[in-house]
Amino acid sequence: MTSHIVDARAIHKHFGTLHVLKGVDLKVDERELVFVIGPSGSGKSTLLRCLNRLEEPSSGSIMVDGIDMLDPRTNINHARRRIGMVFQSFNLYPHMTALGNVMLALRKVAGKSRGEAESLAHAALKRVGLADRADHTPGQLSGGQQQRVAIARSIALEPRVMLFDEPTSALDPELVGSVLEVMRDLRESGMTMIVVSHEMGFARNAADRVVFMDDGLIVEQGPPGAIFENPAHERTRAFIGQIQRH
Amino acid sequence: MIEAFFNIEIMKAAWPIVLTGLWNTILLSLIVVPLGLLGGLILALLASIKHPLVRWPLMAWVDFFRAFPPLVLLVLLFAGLPFAGLELGGFACVAIAFFLNTGSYYGEIFRAGIDSVPAGQVEAARSTGLSRMQSMRYVVLPQAVRNVMPDLLSNTLEVVKLTSLGSVVAVPELLYEARQAQSITYNPTPIVMAAVIYFLLLWPLVRLLSRLENRALAGRH
């Protein structure tokens, strides 16, 4: 038995004639924060989306928290409760309040009563610093606040793993900090996190491991210091040089 | 002129008959609008299953009933079904014809609404463990309906107008009763009454529709 909470092996993904993932292995330990970086089109978002099967891998195997994600007998809706996901474009439900956004899955998936779901949702919003915005609709919130509500929507279900797909890329620079702060807080509480992002400062401070992907493959991985200061591969060096210039 | 079209005496005499027609038109609308909405919703939900075995028959169905004139459909049902041993009566024929015809129109509107909701909404919902049906019901449909509200209302307006087709198969709705009154009194005043009543019935809906359309336009800026 392995102790990896996420164990993805030989993941391939084809989109028509496009070969996006070319045999990716990714193992993540419990409480680990893994950063995935790489140029656009390198397959990092697709890899993330394969882990909770928003994208169907063409082949390979994925175990998350002991559940075989690709087994047709697996109840995918139950399995997904254990895997939170935060999107670049927030994807909050615009017809509901912040509280309603957090409550929906608590009620319909976790089967909580209205009262219970409400208090859990309030607690989750408080955790992301938005207790006073519970009754606001997404349209009345800033981008940073929307993303924090999206994080609350995920953590309210008490997932075992959180996936972040470029969580700060759509934000104005002055709003990035508030989201990273929430992510740091989550990390300190021991959440296992896989983050696709180019926030190098955050990676340096918080990540246990940085994975560099290019052209559908993991090129190299290691502690942030090693990857950023002393990459083994030329492609990694070039990429890091590029984003550090910005 | 006034004698012929706005004859007070005739109005008084015809009023009870026309009123009966009005109630029947309202009743008919209250049956065919929900029926059409239901049919449309079913079609749109089926259309969201993007499987070819579902999609092609569905497209043929919708195309057929949108291309088929509703009056012809109605007369065919009314005059044709008895030969198949089915004596349904005018009211039932109107209900079926509307279910088939307006359901197809409502279906296309709902489908456009569902397509207008960004894929990220479903992805977010599914990522929290909501099933496909739950995502549709709690996340997609509420937004879809809101996005196509002007079109739904506009179609409903047409459906209420179309209930006057019922007069052809002897459903005693507003137009039918007005024509009855006209043939009894030898005076077109009851038809004018019906026209005014149709206008008064639909005008608030028309106003509401323009307000919704203006708001939708404003929302785009």
Side-chain angles (χ1 to χ4, degrees), chain B residues 197-214:
Chain B
I197 288 171
Y198 272 120
F199 175 76
L200 291 178
L201 190 66
L202 293 174
W203 187 62
L205 277 180
V206 173
R207 281 312 324 149
L208 181 64
L209 180 60
S210 353
R211 280 179 57 184
L212 281 180
E213 280 168 343
N214 284 337

PDB file of all heavy atoms in Angstrom, chain B residues 197-214:
ATOM      1  N   ILE B 197     -61.040  43.149 -26.365  1.00  0.00           N
ATOM      2  CA  ILE B 197     -60.702  42.309 -25.213  1.00  0.00           C
ATOM      3  C   ILE B 197     -59.341  41.632 -25.422  1.00  0.00           C
ATOM      4  O   ILE B 197     -58.511  41.595 -24.512  1.00  0.00           O
ATOM      5  CB  ILE B 197     -61.804  41.259 -24.959  1.00  0.00           C
ATOM      6  CG1 ILE B 197     -63.047  41.960 -24.399  1.00  0.00           C
ATOM      7  CG2 ILE B 197     -61.321  40.189 -23.982  1.00  0.00           C
ATOM      8  CD1 ILE B 197     -64.270  41.076 -24.303  1.00  0.00           C
ATOM      9  N   TYR B 198     -59.100  41.108 -26.630  1.00  0.00           N
ATOM     10  CA  TYR B 198     -57.782  40.519 -26.916  1.00  0.00           C
ATOM     11  C   TYR B 198     -56.686  41.542 -26.633  1.00  0.00           C
ATOM     12  O   TYR B 198     -55.675  41.238 -26.001  1.00  0.00           O
ATOM     13  CB  TYR B 198     -57.681  40.073 -28.387  1.00  0.00           C
ATOM     14  CG  TYR B 198     -58.163  38.662 -28.630  1.00  0.00           C
ATOM     15  CD1 TYR B 198     -59.221  38.420 -29.501  1.00  0.00           C
ATOM     16  CD2 TYR B 198     -57.550  37.576 -28.014  1.00  0.00           C
ATOM     17  CE1 TYR B 198     -59.664  37.122 -29.744  1.00  0.00           C
ATOM     18  CE2 TYR B 198     -57.987  36.289 -28.252  1.00  0.00           C
ATOM     19  CZ  TYR B 198     -59.047  36.061 -29.118  1.00  0.00           C
ATOM     20  OH  TYR B 198     -59.469  34.783 -29.343  1.00  0.00           O
ATOM     21  N   PHE B 199     -56.921  42.772 -27.102  1.00  0.00           N
ATOM     22  CA  PHE B 199     -55.907  43.800 -26.904  1.00  0.00           C
ATOM     23  C   PHE B 199     -55.672  44.055 -25.417  1.00  0.00           C
ATOM     24  O   PHE B 199     -54.528  44.081 -24.951  1.00  0.00           O
ATOM     25  CB  PHE B 199     -56.322  45.100 -27.601  1.00  0.00           C
ATOM     26  CG  PHE B 199     -55.374  46.221 -27.337  1.00  0.00           C
ATOM     27  CD1 PHE B 199     -54.142  46.278 -27.988  1.00  0.00           C
ATOM     28  CD2 PHE B 199     -55.692  47.212 -26.409  1.00  0.00           C
ATOM     29  CE1 PHE B 199     -53.257  47.301 -27.718  1.00  0.00           C
ATOM     30  CE2 PHE B 199     -54.804  48.236 -26.129  1.00  0.00           C
ATOM     31  CZ  PHE B 199     -53.580  48.282 -26.793  1.00  0.00           C
ATOM     32  N   LEU B 200     -56.782  44.210 -24.675  1.00  0.00           N
ATOM     33  CA  LEU B 200     -56.643  44.508 -23.249  1.00  0.00           C
ATOM     34  C   LEU B 200     -55.983  43.348 -22.497  1.00  0.00           C
ATOM     35  O   LEU B 200     -55.250  43.543 -21.529  1.00  0.00           O
ATOM     36  CB  LEU B 200     -58.013  44.810 -22.634  1.00  0.00           C
ATOM     37  CG  LEU B 200     -58.656  46.121 -23.104  1.00  0.00           C
ATOM     38  CD1 LEU B 200     -60.035  46.300 -22.465  1.00  0.00           C
ATOM     39  CD2 LEU B 200     -57.755  47.315 -22.770  1.00  0.00           C
ATOM     40  N   LEU B 201     -56.242  42.148 -22.975  1.00  0.00           N
ATOM     41  CA  LEU B 201     -55.685  40.963 -22.323  1.00  0.00           C
ATOM     42  C   LEU B 201     -54.171  40.888 -22.559  1.00  0.00           C
ATOM     43  O   LEU B 201     -53.397  40.537 -21.668  1.00  0.00           O
ATOM     44  CB  LEU B 201     -56.373  39.721 -22.909  1.00  0.00           C
ATOM     45  CG  LEU B 201     -56.130  38.375 -22.241  1.00  0.00           C
ATOM     46  CD1 LEU B 201     -56.724  38.363 -20.843  1.00  0.00           C
ATOM     47  CD2 LEU B 201     -56.769  37.255 -23.083  1.00  0.00           C
ATOM     48  N   LEU B 202     -53.751  41.234 -23.775  1.00  0.00           N
ATOM     49  CA  LEU B 202     -52.356  40.997 -24.153  1.00  0.00           C
ATOM     50  C   LEU B 202     -51.455  42.217 -23.969  1.00  0.00           C
ATOM     51  O   LEU B 202     -50.251  42.085 -23.835  1.00  0.00           O
ATOM     52  CB  LEU B 202     -52.285  40.530 -25.620  1.00  0.00           C
ATOM     53  CG  LEU B 202     -52.913  39.161 -25.842  1.00  0.00           C
ATOM     54  CD1 LEU B 202     -52.955  38.816 -27.318  1.00  0.00           C
ATOM     55  CD2 LEU B 202     -52.129  38.095 -25.085  1.00  0.00           C
ATOM     56  N   TRP B 203     -52.082  43.388 -23.936  1.00  0.00           N
ATOM     57  CA  TRP B 203     -51.262  44.599 -23.876  1.00  0.00           C
ATOM     58  C   TRP B 203     -50.323  44.632 -22.664  1.00  0.00           C
ATOM     59  O   TRP B 203     -49.137  44.962 -22.799  1.00  0.00           O
ATOM     60  CB  TRP B 203     -52.163  45.838 -23.928  1.00  0.00           C
ATOM     61  CG  TRP B 203     -51.374  47.099 -24.036  1.00  0.00           C
ATOM     62  CD1 TRP B 203     -50.532  47.466 -25.037  1.00  0.00           C
ATOM     63  CD2 TRP B 203     -51.324  48.144 -23.073  1.00  0.00           C
ATOM     64  NE1 TRP B 203     -49.970  48.678 -24.773  1.00  0.00           N
ATOM     65  CE2 TRP B 203     -50.442  49.115 -23.558  1.00  0.00           C
ATOM     66  CE3 TRP B 203     -51.952  48.357 -21.835  1.00  0.00           C
ATOM     67  CZ2 TRP B 203     -50.160  50.281 -22.872  1.00  0.00           C
ATOM     68  CZ3 TRP B 203     -51.681  49.516 -21.138  1.00  0.00           C
ATOM     69  CH2 TRP B 203     -50.784  50.473 -21.661  1.00  0.00           C
ATOM     70  N   PRO B 204     -50.809  44.260 -21.454  1.00  0.00           N
ATOM     71  CA  PRO B 204     -49.879  44.252 -20.308  1.00  0.00           C
ATOM     72  C   PRO B 204     -48.682  43.335 -20.560  1.00  0.00           C
ATOM     73  O   PRO B 204     -47.550  43.666 -20.203  1.00  0.00           O
ATOM     74  CB  PRO B 204     -50.727  43.721 -19.158  1.00  0.00           C
ATOM     75  CG  PRO B 204     -52.137  43.961 -19.555  1.00  0.00           C
ATOM     76  CD  PRO B 204     -52.176  43.878 -21.055  1.00  0.00           C
ATOM     77  N   LEU B 205     -48.936  42.208 -21.209  1.00  0.00           N
ATOM     78  CA  LEU B 205     -47.822  41.293 -21.521  1.00  0.00           C
ATOM     79  C   LEU B 205     -46.837  41.940 -22.486  1.00  0.00           C
ATOM     80  O   LEU B 205     -45.627  41.792 -22.351  1.00  0.00           O
ATOM     81  CB  LEU B 205     -48.370  40.011 -22.159  1.00  0.00           C
ATOM     82  CG  LEU B 205     -48.887  38.920 -21.230  1.00  0.00           C
ATOM     83  CD1 LEU B 205     -49.401  37.731 -22.041  1.00  0.00           C
ATOM     84  CD2 LEU B 205     -47.781  38.463 -20.288  1.00  0.00           C
ATOM     85  N   VAL B 206     -47.388  42.674 -23.464  1.00  0.00           N
ATOM     86  CA  VAL B 206     -46.526  43.350 -24.439  1.00  0.00           C
ATOM     87  C   VAL B 206     -45.651  44.388 -23.745  1.00  0.00           C
ATOM     88  O   VAL B 206     -44.456  44.503 -24.006  1.00  0.00           O
ATOM     89  CB  VAL B 206     -47.376  44.004 -25.551  1.00  0.00           C
ATOM     90  CG1 VAL B 206     -46.505  44.841 -26.475  1.00  0.00           C
ATOM     91  CG2 VAL B 206     -48.103  42.942 -26.350  1.00  0.00           C
ATOM     92  N   ARG B 207     -46.274  45.144 -22.820  1.00  0.00           N
ATOM     93  CA  ARG B 207     -45.518  46.158 -22.067  1.00  0.00           C
ATOM     94  C   ARG B 207     -44.391  45.494 -21.263  1.00  0.00           C
ATOM     95  O   ARG B 207     -43.251  45.930 -21.280  1.00  0.00           O
ATOM     96  CB  ARG B 207     -46.429  46.907 -21.076  1.00  0.00           C
ATOM     97  CG  ARG B 207     -47.339  48.003 -21.605  1.00  0.00           C
ATOM     98  CD  ARG B 207     -46.708  49.024 -22.515  1.00  0.00           C
ATOM     99  NE  ARG B 207     -45.340  49.387 -22.180  1.00  0.00           N
ATOM    100  CZ  ARG B 207     -44.424  49.741 -23.050  1.00  0.00           C
ATOM    101  NH1 ARG B 207     -44.705  49.788 -24.334  1.00  0.00           N
ATOM    102  NH2 ARG B 207     -43.227  50.058 -22.659  1.00  0.00           N
ATOM    103  N   LEU B 208     -44.771  44.435 -20.572  1.00  0.00           N
ATOM    104  CA  LEU B 208     -43.795  43.706 -19.745  1.00  0.00           C
ATOM    105  C   LEU B 208     -42.639  43.223 -20.616  1.00  0.00           C
ATOM    106  O   LEU B 208     -41.471  43.331 -20.246  1.00  0.00           O
ATOM    107  CB  LEU B 208     -44.501  42.526 -19.066  1.00  0.00           C
ATOM    108  CG  LEU B 208     -43.638  41.659 -18.147  1.00  0.00           C
ATOM    109  CD1 LEU B 208     -43.135  42.467 -16.962  1.00  0.00           C
ATOM    110  CD2 LEU B 208     -44.428  40.446 -17.660  1.00  0.00           C
ATOM    111  N   LEU B 209     -43.010  42.734 -21.802  1.00  0.00           N
ATOM    112  CA  LEU B 209     -42.001  42.228 -22.719  1.00  0.00           C
ATOM    113  C   LEU B 209     -41.027  43.329 -23.125  1.00  0.00           C
ATOM    114  O   LEU B 209     -39.810  43.135 -23.095  1.00  0.00           O
ATOM    115  CB  LEU B 209     -42.685  41.625 -23.951  1.00  0.00           C
ATOM    116  CG  LEU B 209     -41.772  41.046 -25.019  1.00  0.00           C
ATOM    117  CD1 LEU B 209     -40.933  39.927 -24.449  1.00  0.00           C
ATOM    118  CD2 LEU B 209     -42.589  40.541 -26.202  1.00  0.00           C
ATOM    119  N   SER B 210     -41.559  44.511 -23.497  1.00  0.00           N
ATOM    120  CA  SER B 210     -40.605  45.560 -23.895  1.00  0.00           C
ATOM    121  C   SER B 210     -39.728  45.982 -22.741  1.00  0.00           C
ATOM    122  O   SER B 210     -38.572  46.310 -22.958  1.00  0.00           O
ATOM    123  CB  SER B 210     -41.239  46.828 -24.464  1.00  0.00           C
ATOM    124  OG  SER B 210     -42.507  46.787 -24.656  1.00  0.00           O
ATOM    125  N   ARG B 211     -40.296  45.964 -21.539  1.00  0.00           N
ATOM    126  CA  ARG B 211     -39.438  46.329 -20.403  1.00  0.00           C
ATOM    127  C   ARG B 211     -38.315  45.315 -20.216  1.00  0.00           C
ATOM    128  O   ARG B 211     -37.174  45.681 -19.979  1.00  0.00           O
ATOM    129  CB  ARG B 211     -40.278  46.441 -19.130  1.00  0.00           C
ATOM    130  CG  ARG B 211     -41.003  47.783 -19.055  1.00  0.00           C
ATOM    131  CD  ARG B 211     -41.849  47.901 -17.814  1.00  0.00           C
ATOM    132  NE  ARG B 211     -41.072  47.709 -16.585  1.00  0.00           N
ATOM    133  CZ  ARG B 211     -41.634  47.696 -15.377  1.00  0.00           C
ATOM    134  NH1 ARG B 211     -42.940  47.861 -15.238  1.00  0.00           N
ATOM    135  NH2 ARG B 211     -40.901  47.538 -14.312  1.00  0.00           N
ATOM    136  N   LEU B 212     -38.667  44.048 -20.335  1.00  0.00           N
ATOM    137  CA  LEU B 212     -37.643  42.996 -20.211  1.00  0.00           C
ATOM    138  C   LEU B 212     -36.594  43.123 -21.300  1.00  0.00           C
ATOM    139  O   LEU B 212     -35.402  42.979 -21.058  1.00  0.00           O
ATOM    140  CB  LEU B 212     -38.295  41.610 -20.301  1.00  0.00           C
ATOM    141  CG  LEU B 212     -38.981  41.079 -19.057  1.00  0.00           C
ATOM    142  CD1 LEU B 212     -39.553  39.697 -19.333  1.00  0.00           C
ATOM    143  CD2 LEU B 212     -38.011  41.005 -17.886  1.00  0.00           C
ATOM    144  N   GLU B 213     -37.065  43.418 -22.528  1.00  0.00           N
ATOM    145  CA  GLU B 213     -36.121  43.529 -23.642  1.00  0.00           C
ATOM    146  C   GLU B 213     -35.186  44.712 -23.458  1.00  0.00           C
ATOM    147  O   GLU B 213     -33.996  44.626 -23.717  1.00  0.00           O
ATOM    148  CB  GLU B 213     -36.890  43.641 -24.964  1.00  0.00           C
ATOM    149  CG  GLU B 213     -37.372  42.288 -25.449  1.00  0.00           C
ATOM    150  CD  GLU B 213     -38.382  42.374 -26.588  1.00  0.00           C
ATOM    151  OE1 GLU B 213     -38.954  43.469 -26.784  1.00  0.00           O
ATOM    152  OE2 GLU B 213     -38.603  41.353 -27.248  1.00  0.00           O
ATOM    153  N   ASN B 214     -35.758  45.831 -22.969  1.00  0.00           N
ATOM    154  CA  ASN B 214     -34.913  46.998 -22.714  1.00  0.00           C
ATOM    155  C   ASN B 214     -33.882  46.701 -21.638  1.00  0.00           C
ATOM    156  O   ASN B 214     -32.729  47.096 -21.740  1.00  0.00           O
ATOM    157  CB  ASN B 214     -35.771  48.197 -22.277  1.00  0.00           C
ATOM    158  CG  ASN B 214     -36.496  48.805 -23.464  1.00  0.00           C
ATOM    159  OD1 ASN B 214     -36.066  48.651 -24.596  1.00  0.00           O
ATOM    160  ND2 ASN B 214     -37.599  49.478 -23.193  1.00  0.00           N
TER     161      ASN B 214
END
